[in-house]
Amino acid sequence: MVTDTPLEAELRTLAGSVPDPELPVLTLAELGVLRGVDVEGPGRVTVRLTPTYTGCPAIEAMSADIERVLHENGVPEVSVVTVLAPAWSTDDISAEGRRKLAEFGIAPPRAHSADGGPVPLTLSVRCPHCGSTETELLSRFSSTACKALRRCVACREPFDHFKEL
């Protein structure tokens, strides 16, 4: 286990506070894509990010936003690298992130079992507006590839569902 230095922890908090460009209700830390911050030398930092899926177009915006925030906080040389292993999973979304998604009207992904086994088979997705489990799939993709478009049969409101990975 690697422990952050106090400076790395501070820089990790700054980098983690950057909003996700596609889901601005979540920070990168809450989304779980920020893997680490390493101080490489005086004024030189490397930030490790894992995209939600290979080829995610938001990774460039995330990198630019992290660089901007760290430059604004006195770090002259920032390098953001993409790491693909371990792969990101919806289990990396924090409890606070799941709460914010639901509050924002996006059904959060269902969690895997506590023992790390497969996702329990649940055939329903709970409506973030009224809580009904009577929902239907309208499209496998929504405004981003990470989300599906669903509609609640009870309240008739459409909503996004963050798909499980």
Side-chain angles (χ1 to χ4, degrees):
M1 178 177 175
V2 177
T3 304
D4 287 344
T5 66
L7 177 59
E8 288 170 332
E10 178 185 341
L11 296 173
R12 184 183 182 102
T13 299
L14 287 169
S17 70
V18 170
D20 178 76
E22 292 179 331
L23 295 165
V25 67
L26 297 181
T27 66
L28 298 184
E30 292 165 341
L31 186 58
V33 297
L34 181 63
R35 298 299 188 187
V37 174
D38 301 309
V39 174
E40 305 289 348
R44 196 164 39 114
V45 171
T46 298
V47 178
R48 291 173 277 125
L49 279 181
T50 297
T52 55
Y53 63 95
T54 303
C56 176
I59 202 78
E60 288 183 33
M62 291 177 191
S63 298
D65 290 346
I66 287 171
E67 289 176 12
R68 179 186 45 79
V69 166
L70 294 183
H71 287 315
E72 289 172 355
N73 284 276
V75 181
E77 190 176 335
V78 178
S79 173
V80 180
V81 296
T82 301
V83 292
L84 300 177
W88 179 86
S89 134
T90 49
D91 285 343
D92 294 327
I93 299 175
S94 70
E96 179 66 7
R98 291 171 190 274
R99 185 194 65 74
K100 285 183 175 179
L101 283 172
E103 187 178 284
F104 194 65
I106 299 172
R110 296 165 285 210
H112 289 103
S113 64
D115 62 1
V119 174
L121 181 58
T122 305
L123 299 177
S124 63
V125 173
R126 188 170 299 278
C127 172
H129 304 294
C130 72
S132 172
T133 56
E134 297 294 323
T135 63
E136 60 188 1
L137 180 67
L138 297 178
S139 174
R140 291 182 57 212
F141 298 99
S142 183
S143 58
T144 65
C146 304
K147 296 181 285 187
L149 181 61
R150 301 188 70 89
R151 177 175 44 213
C152 178
V153 174
C155 72
R156 307 300 297 163
E157 288 291 326
F159 65 92
D160 282 339
H161 169 227
F162 203 113
K163 297 183 278 191
E164 293 80 14
L165 291 177

